Amino acid sequence: LHTKMWFLGWKGPSGFSASSTADQVTHGIDGTSLTAIVTGASSGLGLETTRVLALRGVHVVMAVRNVNSGLDIKETLLKEIPAAKIDVFQLDLSSLASVRKFASDFNSSGFPLNILINNAGLMATPFMLSEDNIELQFATNHLGHFLLTNLLLETMKKTVRESNREGRIVIVSSEAHRFAYSEGIRFDKINSESEYSSYFAYGQSKLANILHANELARRLKEERVQITVNSLHPGTIITNILRYHGYFNAVANMVGKYLLKNVQQGAATQCYLALHPQVKGISGEYFTDSNKANPTTLAQDTELAKKLWELSVSLSNTK
């Protein structure tokens, strides 16, 4: 019921509700000594997350497909927040080569890395293969972020050691993980066009996001590294993620004003996980409306998470 009634603003244990905005959940938090990477930073939730982190003094690295549009947004944000520290780097998550180039550019920039927000995503696209010949939603939403996270981990560990502050990795998933294929991850049929469903494939990629967060959290706990990893559902929001579905888009825009979150509310949970002291030391959890929530049984399956990790390592040719 609570998802239907969010606009009543029922607060969870954190003191925040579905109607809390990113501004509200980070109110009074000083992020001036922190550096964050936000993927998909030039529109929707990524843009609002960038704005709010910059407002709190965080040095934000916008990881965007289109650098020119990223630079335009940076100019706009600097007008609103003159003291903002923002850099723009090129990143196309559907290309493993682009992920490698971004990571190498970032790692050699000398910037520290306190917070990584894996926010970018594609939703319910027609069947397509990435340049690495992997189904596009799985490639972009999961695999690109998996490789990116792995390649940035040493820099994060170094930052944690030098600053003696907890690092945080925030992975944007979705309640759509409940609507993956029945077996969860189709290990042998990721690229099968004949059995492809754009919605189930989206659900599969979002389930992969939670499994990735949980397995990485487990590994970092085992290594006793001070880096937390959590996943989240931002809420049902109108963003251009529905661009492939004209009809749904039109309906969503009509109905949405009443039932859906706006972008300010949608970006709240990822900003809460990135900055709020309440979340210190909490890792391997799933959040919605800036509160802990329960994902599906499949999403909590540790064997499935390990198997996905192995598949992701082999598909991305990483260690």
Side-chain angles (χ1 to χ4, degrees):
L1 182 70
H2 124 265
T3 47
K4 298 277 190 298
M5 305 299 283
W6 67 263
F7 48 88
L8 294 181
W10 289 340
K11 290 186 169 69
S14 68
F16 300 114
S17 72
S19 59
S20 302
T21 64
D23 271 323
Q24 288 165 342
V25 303
T26 59
H27 181 75
I29 294 173
D30 176 12
T32 40
S33 59
L34 304 171
T35 299
I37 291 174
V38 180
T39 69
S42 58
S43 67
L45 300 179
L47 173 52
E48 177 64 2
T49 298
T50 299
R51 183 188 77 80
V52 170
L53 293 185
L55 193 60
R56 302 294 172 237
V58 177
H59 169 204
V60 184
V61 173
M62 298 175 67
V64 295
R65 267 189 316 207
N66 182 332
V67 171
N68 289 334
S69 111
L71 290 168
D72 288 346
I73 284 160
K74 175 183 171 173
E75 288 314 305
T76 308
L77 289 172
L78 284 170
K79 288 193 186 91
E80 185 196 334
I81 313 161
K85 300 188 287 285
I86 299 171
D87 282 281
V88 180
F89 282 62
Q90 207 274 331
L91 171 63
D92 176 356
L93 282 152
S94 73
S95 154
L96 296 171
S98 172
V99 173
R100 289 200 159 84
K101 183 177 187 316
F102 171 91
S104 140
D105 290 349
F106 183 86
N107 289 335
S108 56
S109 70
F111 291 145
L113 181 57
N114 305 88
I115 300 161
L116 170 61
I117 303 183
N118 290 341
N119 160 84
L122 284 174
M123 179 176 176
T125 53
F127 182 83
M128 288 183 253
L129 290 177
S130 70
E131 68 177 45
D132 305 289
N133 288 321
I134 296 154
E135 187 274 310
L136 194 61
Q137 297 191 77
F138 189 81
T140 308
N141 298 351
H142 168 64
L143 197 63
H145 281 125
F146 174 86
L147 178 61
L148 177 70
T149 306
N150 272 6
L151 295 175
L152 295 170
L153 215 45
E154 279 315 308
T155 299
M156 277 198 97
K157 288 176 181 175
K158 181 170 181 279
T159 303
V160 168
R161 285 195 301 271
E162 289 172 1
S163 66
N164 203 19
R165 280 188 76 152
E166 167 182 284
R168 294 186 182 182
I169 297 170
V170 178
I171 300 180
V172 179
S173 175
S174 166
E175 280 291 278
H177 81 274
R178 297 181 190 281
F179 308 102
Y181 297 105
S182 56
E183 65 271 50
I185 308 288
R186 296 195 142 173
F187 291 96
D188 306 320
K189 299 181 199 165
I190 296 281
N191 294 343
S192 166
E193 184 172 3
S194 60
E195 298 179 49
Y196 179 79
S197 146
S198 64
Y199 289 100
F200 289 154
Y202 178 66
Q204 170 178 253
S205 73
K206 295 283 109 181
L207 172 61
N209 289 150
I210 302 178
L211 291 167
H212 172 213
N214 294 352
E215 175 61 10
L216 182 56
R218 188 191 69 74
R219 287 166 172 251
L220 292 168
K221 276 177 194 165
E222 214 168 66
E223 284 181 52
R224 300 223 162 102
V225 178
Q226 260 191 296
I227 297 175
T228 62
V229 196
N230 293 294
S231 57
L232 68 115
H233 167 58
T236 309
I237 301 131
I238 303 177
T239 69
N240 67 356
I241 202 163
L242 283 167
R243 60 185 171 267
Y244 291 98
H245 298 268
Y247 170 74
F248 287 112
N249 212 351
V251 172
N253 279 311
M254 284 183 334
V255 179
K257 293 186 192 71
Y258 307 103
L259 291 177
L260 306 180
K261 291 188 179 188
N262 59 33
V263 173
Q264 290 77 16
Q265 292 162 335
T269 306
Q270 59 212 63
C271 289
Y272 171 77
L273 289 174
L275 289 183
H276 209 287
Q278 279 178 359
V279 200
K280 188 171 168 23
I282 293 173
S283 194
E285 297 285 350
Y286 175 72
F287 285 76
T288 186
D289 303 336
S290 302
N291 282 281
K292 272 190 207 178
N294 292 313
T296 59
T297 314
L298 276 174
Q300 301 173 66
D301 184 329
T302 53
E303 289 315 304
L304 193 64
K306 285 173 187 166
K307 196 176 168 190
L308 174 66
W309 187 281
E310 281 158 24
L311 175 74
S312 307
V313 164
S314 69
L315 287 176
S316 61
N317 300 315
T318 174
K319 290 198 287 295

